[in-house]
Amino acid sequence: QKEVEQNSGPLSVPEGAIASLNCTYSDRGSQSFFWYRQYSGKSPELIMFIYSNGDKEDGRFTAQLNKASQYVSLLIRDSQPSDSATYLCAVRSGSGNTGKLIFGQGTTLQVKP
Amino acid sequence: DAMVIQNPRYQVTQFGKPVTLSCSQTLNHNVMYWYQQKSSQAPKLLFHYYDKDFNNEADTPDNFQSRRPNTSFCFLDIRSPGLGDAAMYLCATSRDLSTDTQYFGPGTRLTVL
């Protein structure tokens, strides 16, 4: 079992729709969770982070965390073609204090005009 | 203003010819990381420096070395590049190891001929 799992997609949504990206993780002691956006050929760009159970909203983005289910998601409202990218879920390991991030493979999102 | 800078952005080397990739930061962060990312794969942590303390991942090949001469700069040395080392190399920084997020540079695309 991979430590951080994401559906590679592609996930295709029409412009203006809500895109829902999901991520599960195996380390129950994980403390911090991050979503990065990566355009083709570019480096990852931090979108959001979440530490506590529940929802965290920032503009069109909402991160949702459920530690009991070991599940974190990212909702993108009013999706735009410029949101088309690969979204990487990253989890900071709960063991030790190394700061090590474990990345998922990423979900490719396609927003069609 | 760029905060994490990587040079060069594109590097072509020959099989077995040593190559050095550079990363610099203006954030005065304590931690600098090197990741390898191959096409359609998750970024994979190679090693990191916390200040001058070097931390190597267990599965990082000996072919990969790193140097951090001061807070601002960190180098990735690939002693004898193989075809399998062709990838995007990402440098990231964070203020500390505990809860801070990691910020990525633009990456260096390495091609091995």
Side-chain angles (χ1 to χ4, degrees):
Chain A
Q1 179 188 5
K2 293 181 180 178
E3 295 181 75
V4 179
E5 292 206 54
Q6 297 180 255
N7 187 325
S8 61
L11 172 66
S12 183
V13 300
E15 183 175 357
I18 296 175
S20 178
L21 305 164
N22 304 314
C23 173
T24 58
Y25 59 95
S26 60
D27 182 356
R28 187 169 287 279
S30 298
Q31 299 294 320
S32 311
F33 307 86
F34 305 83
W35 282 100
Y36 286 84
R37 177 176 63 198
Q38 188 172 28
Y39 292 111
S40 181
K42 304 294 184 182
S43 65
E45 172 193 8
L46 181 67
I47 298 295
M48 289 192 71
F49 59 87
I50 186 167
Y51 300 147
S52 304
N53 275 330
D55 295 359
K56 179 181 179 182
E57 186 174 319
D58 183 0
R60 295 188 296 113
F61 299 95
T62 299
Q64 298 175 318
L65 175 62
N66 184 326
K67 289 186 178 181
S69 299
Q70 294 174 240
Y71 173 94
V72 58
S73 65
L74 179 70
L75 301 178
I76 306 175
R77 289 181 299 281
D78 188 23
S79 295
Q80 302 297 309
S82 59
D83 294 327
S84 298
T86 295
Y87 289 81
L88 297 168
C89 172
V91 176
R92 173 170 277 115
S93 171
S95 59
N97 193 27
T98 64
K100 179 178 178 177
L101 287 184
I102 309 297
F103 283 86
Q105 188 176 356
T107 298
T108 299
L109 173 66
Q110 295 175 346
V111 180
K112 298 192 174 181
Chain B
D1 292 336
M3 296 181 291
V4 184
I5 303 164
Q6 291 188 245
N7 285 302
R9 296 291 308 279
Y10 301 91
Q11 175 73 59
V12 180
T13 191
Q14 292 180 335
F15 182 93
K17 185 175 181 180
V19 66
T20 295
L21 309 182
S22 170
C23 177
S24 63
Q25 52 128 343
T26 61
L27 299 164
N28 204 33
H29 280 177
N30 290 313
V31 193
M32 297 186 76
Y33 306 83
W34 279 105
Y35 289 86
Q36 178 193 65
Q37 187 179 27
K38 296 184 178 180
S39 181
S40 301
Q41 296 186 20
K44 177 180 179 295
L45 181 65
L46 296 173
F47 26 57
H48 74 271
Y49 271 96
Y50 179 78
D51 196 13
K52 295 182 180 179
D53 292 334
F54 177 71
N55 294 271
N56 198 33
E57 291 299 300
D59 56 355
T60 298
D62 292 340
N63 197 27
F64 292 85
Q65 304 288 321
S66 186
R67 295 170 285 135
R68 189 178 186 186
N70 53 53
T71 300
S72 301
F73 283 87
C74 194
F75 299 98
L76 170 62
D77 300 309
I78 308 176
R79 295 191 297 186
S80 182
L83 298 178
D85 297 327
M88 173 79 87
Y89 289 88
L90 299 163
C91 175
T93 75
S94 65
R95 185 168 59 234
D96 212 332
L97 287 172
S98 54
T99 58
D100 274 356
T101 55
Q102 294 182 20
Y103 297 93
F104 284 83
T108 295
R109 173 74 64 187
L110 177 67
T111 300
V112 181
L113 301 178

